[in-house]
Amino acid sequence: MTAPDWFSHTASAPPRARQRVTRHLADYARTVGEQGRIHLGEDVSICVSGSLARGEPAVRRRRAGYTLSSDVDLVAVIDNLDDPAPVEKLTRALLTAHPEIDSTVFAIGCGDVGRVAGRFGVDLHHGAVHPLAGPAPTGVANPPIGPREGLEGLTHQLATIYCPDSAPGATPWRIKTALEALRAVACLTRRAGGPQRYGALVDDPRACAVLDRQLVAELVRAREHSRPMPITDAHTYELVLTAAAHLFGVAATHRDLLAALHEAPAGVHLLDGFQRAVLAATIIGYGPTRFRQTAASALHVIVTAIDRNTVPTARDSLDALARISPAEFGRGIDHPNRVLRTLVQGLRTDYYHHLGPHNFGVRPVQAYTGPTPAAGSTAAEARL
């Protein structure tokens, strides 16, 4: 099978970077094939997902030359999901042979490929054409991308500060946060037909309506070259709020978005509830002081509405969040923020407990709806 062009949709990687990283990836792909046969067998398909599947990896320039900057997400399509040991051994073997590449190996069942969801599913559908090991898997779903997936991607970036490994002073304002906000705006109409690439945002009318086209291009280039953030944290925050307002179908103001977040329906699944809670927490932590108490009120409504049966381990965190008075956050003191980060961290674990199996097609969550337009919603045209 012909090797793919890993840089087929990269907007700005120079020829030297493409050549050097392509040679490196050819060596890496041989290792995947060899180790895949050893640990998983001859007939197991191993495909790339993520940016490599989309043909838009990031590179970094070192003194010795260009290197791959993107992580490598691999997907093994296997018969037996009950025994994780073979996949763990494969992962360790790859990290040992290629310590310079941050490899992650996900496992999905052969019978689940027709139910994969989200951007994970779309990227896998695209990457399955060129497996690094085994035959090309058949029947991989090509799910549509819409507001649900847009908010999911945005939440993934905003929620990095709630990762247990995240430093206390970490912020979510990174290049990919801005790009996920733009991708969220660009996918307001559910569509199929291939992965939604960062590079395509430069020519997307919805994305360029909320951020100047030149700045969109600078963000794309900065990601591809692993360069510093080209816009300010404040500008990124405004972009996130604008994207969130578009997803909920309201005007791009704090008041309208917070009013929409107050409309969380009773019994909402944790997948939807956590995403709304992260938006409210983002406004509490980074928004104007005058909106902190209203955002805390929205957070209270959201956590109270979440179906406890969808929270397997963090019910204490959920109950503790519900007991904090919104007035505490409105005073602008630091203690509630520290408590908030700790409690949302617990919910994050349960969130991914549902999201991974949902997107892998193992346990689809029918109640996972994504952002629903608020009552009396309007086009998001107003400025923040």
Side-chain angles (χ1 to χ4, degrees):
M1 185 173 292
T2 305
D5 175 5
W6 299 115
F7 291 90
S8 58
H9 290 85
T10 302
S12 62
R16 283 184 299 168
R18 294 169 183 249
Q19 293 165 4
R20 183 181 177 88
V21 173
T22 295
R23 288 196 299 269
H24 192 183
L25 285 172
D27 183 42
Y28 177 82
R30 283 191 292 272
T31 303
V32 172
E34 294 166 358
Q35 295 299 322
R37 287 188 290 273
I38 291 171
H39 297 290
L40 301 180
E42 294 281 346
D43 297 327
V44 171
S45 303
I46 303 177
C47 309
V48 294
S49 186
S51 62
L52 278 175
R54 298 192 302 270
E56 55 173 0
V59 299
R60 187 184 303 276
R61 188 169 187 175
R62 305 284 193 186
R63 286 187 177 182
Y66 285 97
T67 63
L68 179 70
S69 180
S70 294
D71 299 342
V72 176
D73 295 331
L74 299 174
V75 181
V77 183
I78 62 179
D79 288 319
N80 180 18
L81 292 176
D82 295 331
D83 183 8
V87 172
E88 292 172 357
K89 291 177 181 178
L90 171 61
T91 303
R92 288 197 296 269
L94 294 177
L95 292 173
T96 299
H98 295 275
E100 73 287 356
I101 294 179
D102 189 359
S103 300
T104 302
V105 184
F106 301 103
I108 65 172
C110 296
D112 299 328
V113 295
R115 296 188 297 271
V116 292
R119 288 204 172 97
F120 167 83
V122 177
D123 290 348
L124 176 60
H125 178 87
H126 199 68
V129 177
H130 294 285
L132 299 188
T138 59
V140 179
N142 186 18
I145 299 298
R148 184 180 73 178
E149 292 71 29
L151 184 55
E152 185 179 298
L154 186 58
T155 300
H156 183 69
Q157 297 303 319
L158 294 175
T160 55
I161 65 170
Y162 305 113
C163 176
D165 297 332
S166 181
T171 75
W173 312 124
R174 298 175 305 279
I175 292 171
K176 287 189 71 173
T177 306
L179 289 173
E180 287 300 336
L182 292 170
R183 285 215 294 182
V185 171
C187 70
L188 287 174
T189 301
R190 289 180 65 80
R191 64 189 185 94
Q196 188 186 19
R197 297 181 173 92
Y198 293 128
L201 294 171
V202 178
D203 296 313
D204 188 277
R206 288 191 179 93
C208 294
V210 299
L211 186 67
D212 180 79
R213 186 177 187 273
Q214 183 59 40
L215 289 178
V216 176
E218 289 182 22
L219 281 167
V220 171
R221 183 178 179 84
R223 188 200 75 87
E224 291 183 349
H225 290 261
S226 306
R227 291 177 179 169
M229 182 71 156
I231 63 176
T232 66
D233 290 356
H235 201 169
T236 309
Y237 172 84
E238 291 178 0
L239 184 59
V240 166
L241 265 291
T242 299
H246 277 69
L247 291 170
F248 282 92
V250 297
T253 70
H254 283 90
R255 287 187 176 86
D256 286 276
L257 178 59
L258 288 170
L261 294 178
H262 272 89
E263 294 183 13
V268 67
H269 193 281
L270 178 63
L271 286 174
D272 289 308
F274 181 80
Q275 292 171 1
R276 288 163 168 79
V278 166
L279 287 176
T282 299
I283 297 174
I284 293 170
Y286 303 99
T289 303
R290 66 185 183 278
F291 292 112
R292 285 172 60 92
Q293 188 163 337
T294 307
S297 173
L299 179 64
H300 177 83
V301 169
I302 294 163
V303 299
T304 303
I306 291 173
D307 180 356
R308 267 41 180 184
N309 292 323
T310 65
V311 184
T313 68
R315 294 186 188 182
D316 288 347
S317 295
L318 198 67
D319 293 338
L321 278 171
R323 287 195 297 268
I324 300 176
S325 168
E328 290 294 309
F329 293 106
R331 296 185 183 119
I333 56 179
D334 186 52
H335 174 66
N337 289 349
R338 295 199 307 272
V339 172
L340 175 64
R341 184 168 294 208
T342 299
L343 297 177
V344 176
Q345 185 179 104
L347 291 177
R348 178 183 181 274
T349 300
D350 284 357
Y351 171 74
Y352 282 107
H353 167 82
H354 290 293
L355 186 62
H358 172 83
N359 283 338
F360 292 174
V362 181
R363 293 197 308 272
V365 178
Q366 299 302 324
Y368 179 25
T369 64
T372 51
S377 61
T378 60
E381 299 291 342
R383 296 181 62 187
L384 285 168

